[in-house]
Amino acid sequence: MSQNIEKIAVLTSGGDAPGMNAAIRAVVRACSYHNITCIGVYKGYEGLIHNNLEELNARSVRNVINKGGTFLKSARSKDFRTEEGRKKAYDNLIANSIDALIVIGGDGSFTGALKLSQEFNFPVIGIPGTIDNDINGTDFTIGYDTALNTVVEAIDKIRDTASSHNRLFLIEVMGRDAGDIALNAGIGAGAEEILIPEENLGVDRLIESLRKSKESGKTSSIIVVAEGDTSGKNIFELGEYVEEKLEDDYEVRVSVLGHIQRGGSPSCYDRVLASKLGVGAVEALLEGKRDVMIGIVHKQVTVVALTEALQKRVHKHDQLIKVADITSV
């Protein structure tokens, strides 16, 4: 093991995700286990620029594993996007005798971490925390499983109303560039149609499918729409178009789930995943690794270069799309 890591800083950045607190906890306690000082950075990169740091120990993270959000807070930082802002952040790291930085977040957070490393030769490690599950090099990101369960529970409740009033509900879920939430939650909740960014199936196909559903005896329907769907219409325009085309068949309603998908107590899976990745990040630094992301592939903790993690993820949804088509007849 490398002996030059004596103090590690950890921060959360970008959109919050259930399980971030569990990841922070794992980093802090892994540091304590290995006799390393751990420094918590409040408000992400913005806090690093303004030297908003505090030493954390094993007791500092008690009773946080079950809490959503991030107790270190998160913030977008315009200043960190500039070289001058990153220089201030680096100077504070050096002034506080910090040897490495662990960043919990998504692709934007990793981009900032990589720039910091490249410009100032400072060791960084990324832990993927985002509900979208859109990071390359890991099967799952922290927060994704909890978000799925939140969406399925919400759709189940909406279906009760849809069935009671013979309504067609279009439900928008998060996923600007990735349809993982929409596709998996849609199948899990028994949606009749699922629209995702990776597959532009067209509104005409959607209308034809809904007509067939009506003819087969369905009196209500659920359509799950990822926010990044490429049909060319936003969810409200799509709702109006569907109602216009099917005015005699369905009463159409639109529901945008929004930020409820980010909140709530993390699932057991996300707590365990976050714990694995947090410990993995600290031990990767002790092994001399840097500028990498700690991920999970086939249930095994893995290490992948941040440059690879930032590459556009290739989504292979063919099997799930087939399952969705078959089970929605």
Side-chain angles (χ1 to χ4, degrees):
M1 284 191 174
S2 174
Q3 299 299 314
N4 60 345
I5 300 293
E6 297 180 357
K7 186 181 288 190
I8 295 173
V10 58
L11 63 80
T12 50
S13 176
D16 60 297
M20 279 186 165
N21 280 327
I24 298 167
R25 173 182 180 270
V27 169
V28 173
R29 293 196 169 175
C31 284
S32 179
Y33 180 84
H34 290 289
N35 296 314
I36 298 168
T37 301
C38 187
I39 302 296
V41 182
Y42 287 86
K43 296 186 179 180
Y45 291 123
E46 193 71 6
L48 199 55
I49 290 172
H50 295 287
N51 205 31
N52 194 355
L53 282 59
E54 180 181 329
E55 184 172 337
L56 302 175
N57 58 43
R59 300 289 72 78
S60 301
V61 290
R62 65 183 181 276
N63 300 327
V64 303
I65 193 170
N66 60 317
K67 299 185 186 304
T70 162
F71 79 87
L72 287 180
K73 311 296 183 183
S74 184
R76 309 286 181 182
S77 178
K78 291 183 180 179
D79 289 340
F80 194 78
R81 295 177 183 176
T82 68
E83 188 171 347
E84 181 183 1
R86 292 190 293 273
K87 178 65 165 57
K88 288 181 180 178
Y90 170 73
D91 287 344
N92 283 332
L93 288 167
I94 298 304
N96 286 280
S97 302
I98 294 169
D99 300 309
L101 174 66
I102 294 176
V103 174
I104 306 168
D107 54 359
S109 304
F110 290 171
T111 298
L114 190 58
K115 281 184 176 292
L116 183 71
S117 173
Q118 292 172 339
E119 291 171 359
F120 304 105
N121 191 31
F122 193 83
V124 296
I125 298 283
I127 296 177
T130 167
I131 68 168
D132 289 339
N133 202 42
D134 60 351
I135 301 296
N136 192 48
T138 184
D139 290 342
F140 300 106
T141 59
I142 296 168
Y144 171 62
D145 183 71
T146 306
L148 274 184
N149 287 307
T150 298
V151 171
V152 169
E153 182 179 358
I155 295 175
D156 286 348
K157 292 177 179 179
I158 291 171
R159 185 179 288 281
D160 291 344
T161 293
S163 299
S164 297
H165 295 274
N166 292 344
R167 285 175 178 165
L168 166 64
F169 268 88
L170 278 73
I171 303 172
E172 183 182 89
V173 302
M174 286 185 170
R176 185 178 65 250
D177 301 309
D180 291 59
I181 291 177
L183 192 52
N184 285 275
I187 292 173
E192 279 66 38
E193 285 292 332
I194 305 167
L195 305 182
I196 59 175
E198 298 92 335
E199 298 283 338
N200 185 1
L201 302 178
V203 292
D204 292 335
R205 178 192 177 282
L206 172 63
I207 297 300
E208 182 61 27
S209 174
L210 290 170
R211 282 179 175 150
K212 287 181 179 179
S213 293
K214 190 70 174 181
E215 291 169 0
S216 72
K218 290 187 178 181
T219 58
S220 65
S221 287
I222 297 290
I223 302 172
V224 177
V225 184
E227 62 181 329
D229 167 55
T230 55
S231 66
K233 301 177 183 292
N234 66 43
I235 188 76
F236 295 101
E237 292 173 339
L238 182 60
E240 291 174 0
Y241 180 81
V242 170
E243 188 161 40
E244 177 185 327
K245 292 294 183 180
L246 301 174
E247 58 180 342
D248 296 326
D249 296 323
Y250 292 105
E251 184 181 352
V252 179
R253 293 288 185 273
V254 171
S255 181
V256 178
L257 297 188
H259 287 79
I260 68 165
Q261 297 162 85
R262 282 190 184 172
S265 180
S267 66
C268 179
Y269 182 86
D270 273 329
R271 298 181 198 193
V272 174
L273 175 63
S275 299
K276 286 182 176 179
L277 301 188
V279 170
V282 172
E283 295 194 337
L285 284 170
L286 290 175
E287 292 166 3
K289 296 181 175 64
R290 53 177 293 168
D291 307 342
V292 297
M293 179 192 76
I294 308 302
I296 191 88
V297 177
H298 302 311
K299 300 182 180 180
Q300 298 298 313
V301 174
T302 58
V303 175
V304 58
L306 277 177
T307 51
E308 182 178 340
L310 286 168
Q311 293 177 6
K312 185 174 177 59
R313 182 177 175 184
V314 178
H315 297 265
K316 297 181 180 179
H317 292 319
D318 292 351
Q319 185 178 19
L320 280 178
I321 290 172
K322 179 181 178 181
V323 169
D325 286 342
I326 290 173
T327 57
S328 64
V329 296

